[in-house]
Amino acid sequence: MVVSQFFSSPLRTLKNKARGSTRTTHDCSSSDDDTSTPSRPAALTTGTCLCCGSKVGFPPTVSCFKCTICDTINDLRPVQRTEKTCAEGTGSGGSAVAPPLTLERLKAGVQAYRRHPEKQGLLEAMLRESFGCWELLNFSFVVGNEINVDEVHAAYKIILALPPVFIRAMMAGVEQILRRPG
């Protein structure tokens, strides 16, 4: 099977000159002994990026696609969570998911870190997961059906008083949401 090349490679030209050959491109009209046909690519579905509005092609079997222009990951079938599954820490299909962030949970994580500084990774992971999932944030600091703004303010005050590594973990989580809208 002969593969045609649209552009000749400068490195191939140098290699061929070193071998004594002057031919740099393949002849598309010649045939090889291999008579197999190349496999056809699967039909692509076209979607629009939620961030930049670009048209992007993707296989119809995927649940998300990454925009080739802005690198945003676009979910085609978002996971729906309810207040009950968030409170229980379970996702769709019974998979384990971090529970929503509460002021008590944050204080407990900070106290555990201060008692055992070697476990800083646990607090970092909690902040990254909590701030990196919009479903968790929607159910964080909720009392009844409303967000307790005083608890949110107290939580940010606690986080901003921590060493910079924890603030970076929170910001990395927020960046995940910004890169994966909807």
Side-chain angles (χ1 to χ4, degrees):
M1 169 199 233
V2 174
V3 178
S4 64
Q5 291 181 323
F6 188 71
F7 297 105
S8 63
S9 167
L11 294 176
R12 184 171 291 113
T13 304
L14 292 174
K15 284 182 190 176
N16 288 340
K17 283 184 182 178
R19 288 185 197 146
S21 170
T22 57
R23 187 173 164 212
T24 59
T25 59
H26 292 286
D27 183 11
C28 293
S29 62
S30 67
S31 63
D32 275 348
D33 293 336
D34 184 13
T35 58
S36 65
T37 58
S39 62
R40 294 179 58 186
L44 295 179
T45 303
T46 303
T48 305
C49 176
L50 295 172
C51 181
C52 68
S54 299
K55 298 285 184 193
V56 181
F58 53 89
T61 57
V62 298
S63 62
C64 63
F65 66 91
K66 185 174 185 177
C67 178
T68 56
I69 304 300
C70 67
D71 290 337
T72 298
I73 298 170
N74 294 266
D75 288 314
L76 299 171
R77 292 178 228 122
V79 176
Q80 297 295 323
R81 295 184 67 185
T82 64
E83 190 171 355
K84 181 181 178 193
T85 60
C86 280
E88 293 171 353
T90 59
S92 61
S95 60
V97 177
L101 189 61
T102 62
L103 188 58
E104 293 79 29
R105 185 169 170 244
L106 178 62
K107 285 180 179 179
V110 171
Q111 287 174 355
Y113 158 71
R114 289 193 174 136
R115 276 183 268 140
H116 305 285
E118 67 276 3
K119 295 185 178 182
Q120 116 178 10
L122 296 175
L123 182 56
E124 282 182 63
M126 179 178 72
L127 291 171
R128 194 176 306 107
E129 288 175 9
S130 297
F131 284 92
C133 178
W134 63 267
E135 292 108 341
L136 285 178
L137 279 180
N138 280 347
F139 294 107
S140 293
F141 307 107
V142 173
V143 176
N145 286 334
E146 296 194 14
I147 294 174
N148 186 335
V149 179
D150 294 332
E151 281 191 9
V152 173
H153 180 72
Y156 275 109
K157 198 171 183 179
I158 291 169
I159 293 169
L160 293 176
L162 292 170
V165 68
F166 298 108
I167 297 169
R168 279 193 291 274
M170 177 185 70
M171 291 169 59
V174 171
E175 187 176 282
Q176 283 179 325
I177 290 177
L178 294 175
R179 287 283 172 203
R180 196 168 191 148

